[in-house]
Amino acid sequence: MKILLSGASGFVGSHLLGRLIEEGVAVVCIVRPGSDLSDRRGVPTYTHRGDIQALCRFAEQQRFDGVIHLASLFVSRHACEDVPDLINSNLLFSTTLLEAACRGNATWFMNTGTFWQHYRDEAYCPVNLYAATKQAFETVARYYLETTDINFVTLKLNDTFGPGDKRRKILSLWRDHGRSGIPLDMSGGEQLMDLCHIDDVVAAYVRLAHLLQERCPQIARGQSFAVRASERVTLRELAATFEKVTNVTLPINWGARPYSPREVMVPWTTGKIVPGWEPKVSLREGIERTFAAPMENTGG
Amino acid sequence: MKILLSGASGFVGSHLLGRLIEEGVAVVCIVRPGSDLSDRRGVPTYTHRGDIQALCRFAEQQRFDGVIHLASLFVSRHACEDVPDLINSNLLFSTTLLEAACRGNATWFMNTGTFWQHYRDEAYCPVNLYAATKQAFETVARYYLETTDINFVTLKLNDTFGPGDKRRKILSLWRDHGRSGIPLDMSGGEQLMDLCHIDDVVAAYVRLAHLLQERCPQIARGQSFAVRASERVTLRELAATFEKVTNVTLPINWGARPYSPREVMVPWTTGKIVPGWEPKVSLREGIERTFAAPMENTGG
């Protein structure tokens, strides 16, 4: 199996790349100029400088079986100057990659979406502009589904966590406040969390890649799958678990901040999961692996 | 009524601008650097050089009632190097304009779509990548419908014709071959044509602008409308009408070329029309006004 992978410098991408290499998959990473893949020396890279014709020629030469597309720009609440970056990353680059995949006769293209395309559990209702650009790429992809044989599918992620996560997210924020004792104002904390451990996330990608490669008839063209956590808990319950596992008391002032204007109280529930995959890492176990270990092992 | 208009240098836009000025509407045209509006001296223009923050500030200062968005890049069958241009024109610029409209508290935004978003009369099936980018902009617009009060609506066009059309389209091609007598190979000619005269197109925009301005409850947020012709005929029947009106015999070899891979044999039928509008110009009358007049009056 020969794969073109975007987003390998990110949290999910770096874990997935490690796993694909372990499995003996031939991977080429498509990176931006200056992107840091220095910890993965030896993996071939293609630096995309915006030249779509060059990328199409490269794809035609390389004959990839499939493309795994993880690269994305996430902006929670956009400012007006974020609009061009969101369109360029999530629509222009994504369409460029899909065009090249089709020109190179790749068999499949695995896209990455978000639960936030499904606010209030609707077939489509974007939480934010980021989620709207993710959906818009699926809209564009419909053209390629209609006019080529490529199997385009989308894995939709919600929250993810695990070792080596450099993003500023809730668990690392808690770790810092737990250590410093500095009080942390939070919302009411009743929103349900769907937090999937990185090992489960990676397993979903690998499983789906194999199913696509085998042209498994269960994987209909254009389908989406949810990468969901093994359990859903409220933010308050998550904090209680975190306190138990790490043996610290979190200095949280619950209810000191309002919920966000489009706070997701119940994450998307109706998405199907990848056939033959299920989340295996419990929250307790995942937090232990990530935060209870000595600092040197957290990979940050 | 104060309007920001994009695409005023195009065929539909130049006719619409003339009509809006006649009606006494205050219009500002948003143009690209170097865009030719020289025949409309006296109309204020805003030159957009890609700076979204500057455009948002301009929209906040100007307090437009509405935006009419006609600017677009049309590519019938794209080459890979067209992808960035299609995304930039039809998604990046469109989203930039909508963001600015919302920041400036415009009441409404009239978008322009295409019948080609509805291949085989489906709710969404793009004929080509151009149509997919049009649909993708509606996908993005859903975010603004969810999070602001703006009324975003789409007028969907199919073929349009009339005086002053510089685009290389079927009627002017026929005129040229009619004059030169050079044979013209065409397809079987059984595809139905929906060819709307520019006066009817302009009337649909003006009518919808008034309904939006009056906050007419019939115009639901997010709705689409079809701008359809007064009659549908096959391409062969159209040629026969053209021959009668212009009194020339067209040197067409019917069936000498295959139909296109995604030839539209029956244009979108299920779109609603703008309340209170209907197409009035018959094909015969429209062709007369455009082609039967002496050359000096065709506006070309």
Side-chain angles (χ1 to χ4, degrees):
Chain A
M1 176 154 46
K2 186 172 181 181
I3 286 176
L4 182 63
L5 173 66
S6 82
S9 61
F11 172 58
V12 176
S14 59
H15 281 268
L16 178 59
L17 175 59
R19 174 72 188 279
L20 291 170
I21 291 169
E22 278 168 29
E23 290 218 355
V25 174
V27 184
V28 176
C29 294
I30 179 165
V31 298
R32 289 166 297 183
S35 183
D36 184 16
L37 279 180
S38 53
D39 53 337
R40 293 291 178 193
R41 269 184 293 260
V43 175
T45 59
Y46 173 90
T47 303
H48 178 61
R49 297 172 196 278
D51 183 342
I52 187 171
Q53 290 177 291
L55 180 59
C56 287
R57 281 194 300 273
F58 180 73
E60 284 162 9
Q61 287 157 8
Q62 293 283 316
R63 317 297 295 172
F64 294 105
D65 294 298
V67 175
I68 300 181
H69 178 37
L70 275 162
S72 179
L73 175 66
F74 174 76
V75 177
S76 185
R77 294 185 69 175
H78 79 278
C80 85
E81 60 268 31
D82 294 320
V83 169
D85 295 335
L86 282 166
I87 302 281
N88 283 329
S89 294
N90 301 343
L91 278 160
L92 175 55
F93 177 62
S94 298
T95 306
T96 297
L97 197 56
L98 180 51
E99 173 84 20
C102 293
R103 300 259 173 196
N105 278 316
T107 309
W108 51 268
F109 188 104
M110 205 189 302
N111 176 43
T112 304
T114 167
F115 279 31
W116 286 10
Q117 293 166 241
H118 303 281
Y119 191 55
R120 295 186 301 247
D121 249 342
E122 291 186 33
Y124 168 51
C125 185
V127 170
N128 55 10
L129 184 59
Y130 159 79
T133 61
K134 286 287 187 184
Q135 183 80 19
F137 178 51
E138 292 188 44
T139 302
V140 169
R142 173 74 190 268
Y143 164 74
Y144 294 93
L145 282 163
E146 284 287 324
T147 57
T148 75
D149 292 326
I150 203 161
N151 193 350
F152 176 93
V153 295
T154 301
L155 271 186
K156 290 182 178 165
L157 308 182
N158 195 49
D159 266 356
T160 55
F161 77 112
D165 194 351
K166 291 165 193 158
R167 300 168 300 175
R168 186 103 184 121
K169 302 210 91 179
I170 191 68
L171 295 179
S172 54
L173 190 72
W174 284 349
R175 179 194 56 197
D176 296 346
H177 280 265
R179 284 178 186 156
S180 68
I182 297 170
L184 179 62
D185 289 348
M186 297 208 71
S187 67
E190 296 303 326
Q191 59 273 57
L192 276 177
M193 305 298 289
D194 191 302
L195 197 56
C196 190
H197 189 268
I198 187 65
D199 290 352
D200 285 330
V201 176
V202 165
Y205 277 87
V206 171
R207 171 78 185 152
L208 186 53
H210 284 294
L211 293 173
L212 288 165
Q213 187 70 12
E214 293 155 16
R215 297 173 189 262
C216 168
Q218 277 180 285
I219 310 300
R221 300 179 72 228
Q223 215 173 343
S224 289
F225 298 98
V227 179
R228 59 175 77 260
S230 54
E231 55 196 315
R232 287 188 166 186
V233 297
T234 65
L235 189 61
R236 279 182 192 248
E237 290 165 345
L238 182 66
T241 302
F242 187 87
E243 287 180 319
K244 259 183 234 155
V245 174
T246 60
N247 200 28
V248 294
T249 303
L250 292 174
I252 297 174
N253 298 322
W254 293 109
R257 286 176 54 184
Y259 289 106
S260 302
R262 285 168 82 79
E263 186 84 52
V264 176
M265 300 306 290
V266 181
W268 189 37
T269 62
T270 57
K272 285 183 192 168
I273 61 175
V274 174
W277 171 88
E278 58 173 14
K280 289 179 177 163
V281 184
S282 70
L283 268 178
R284 189 183 177 96
E285 196 184 337
I287 294 170
E288 268 170 11
R289 289 194 208 166
T290 311
F291 293 98
M295 275 304 287
E296 296 75 49
N297 294 343
T298 60
Chain B
M1 178 153 45
K2 186 171 180 182
I3 285 178
L4 181 63
L5 173 67
S6 82
S9 62
F11 171 58
V12 176
S14 60
H15 281 269
L16 178 58
L17 176 59
R19 174 74 188 279
L20 291 170
I21 291 170
E22 277 169 28
E23 289 217 356
V25 174
V27 184
V28 177
C29 294
I30 179 166
V31 298
R32 290 166 296 183
S35 184
D36 184 16
L37 278 180
S38 52
D39 53 337
R40 293 292 179 191
R41 267 185 293 261
V43 175
T45 60
Y46 174 90
T47 303
H48 178 60
R49 297 173 197 279
D51 183 342
I52 187 172
Q53 289 177 290
L55 179 58
C56 288
R57 280 193 302 272
F58 180 72
E60 284 162 9
Q61 287 158 8
Q62 293 284 317
R63 316 300 291 173
F64 294 106
D65 293 299
V67 175
I68 299 181
H69 178 37
L70 274 162
S72 180
L73 175 66
F74 174 76
V75 177
S76 184
R77 294 186 70 174
H78 79 279
C80 85
E81 61 268 29
D82 295 321
V83 169
D85 295 336
L86 281 167
I87 303 280
N88 283 329
S89 294
N90 301 343
L91 278 160
L92 176 55
F93 177 64
S94 298
T95 306
T96 297
L97 198 56
L98 180 52
E99 173 84 19
C102 293
R103 300 260 173 196
N105 278 315
T107 308
W108 52 268
F109 188 104
M110 205 190 301
N111 176 43
T112 304
T114 167
F115 278 31
W116 285 10
Q117 293 165 242
H118 303 282
Y119 191 53
R120 296 186 301 247
D121 249 340
E122 290 187 34
Y124 169 52
C125 185
V127 169
N128 55 8
L129 185 58
Y130 159 79
T133 61
K134 285 287 187 184
Q135 183 81 18
F137 178 51
E138 291 188 44
T139 302
V140 169
R142 174 74 191 269
Y143 164 74
Y144 293 93
L145 282 163
E146 283 288 323
T147 58
T148 74
D149 292 327
I150 203 162
N151 193 351
F152 175 94
V153 295
T154 300
L155 270 186
K156 291 181 176 164
L157 308 183
N158 196 47
D159 266 357
T160 56
F161 77 112
D165 194 351
K166 290 166 194 159
R167 301 169 300 176
R168 187 101 183 121
K169 304 211 92 178
I170 191 67
L171 295 181
S172 54
L173 190 71
W174 284 349
R175 180 194 54 195
D176 296 346
H177 280 265
R179 283 179 187 158
S180 68
I182 298 170
L184 179 62
D185 289 349
M186 297 209 70
S187 65
E190 297 303 325
Q191 59 274 55
L192 275 177
M193 305 298 288
D194 191 301
L195 197 55
C196 190
H197 189 269
I198 188 64
D199 290 352
D200 284 331
V201 176
V202 165
Y205 276 87
V206 170
R207 170 78 185 154
L208 186 53
H210 284 295
L211 292 173
L212 288 165
Q213 187 69 12
E214 293 155 16
R215 298 170 188 265
C216 167
Q218 277 180 285
I219 311 299
R221 299 179 71 229
Q223 215 174 342
S224 288
F225 299 98
V227 178
R228 60 174 76 258
S230 53
E231 55 198 313
R232 287 187 166 187
V233 297
T234 66
L235 189 60
R236 279 182 193 250
E237 289 165 344
L238 182 65
T241 302
F242 187 89
E243 287 180 318
K244 260 185 235 154
V245 173
T246 61
N247 200 28
V248 295
T249 302
L250 292 174
I252 297 174
N253 298 322
W254 292 108
R257 287 175 54 183
Y259 288 106
S260 304
R262 284 168 82 78
E263 187 83 54
V264 176
M265 300 305 291
V266 181
W268 188 38
T269 62
T270 56
K272 285 182 193 168
I273 60 175
V274 175
W277 169 88
E278 57 174 13
K280 291 180 176 163
V281 183
S282 70
L283 268 177
R284 191 184 176 95
E285 195 185 338
I287 294 171
E288 268 170 12
R289 287 194 209 166
T290 310
F291 293 99
M295 275 305 286
E296 295 74 52
N297 294 343
T298 61

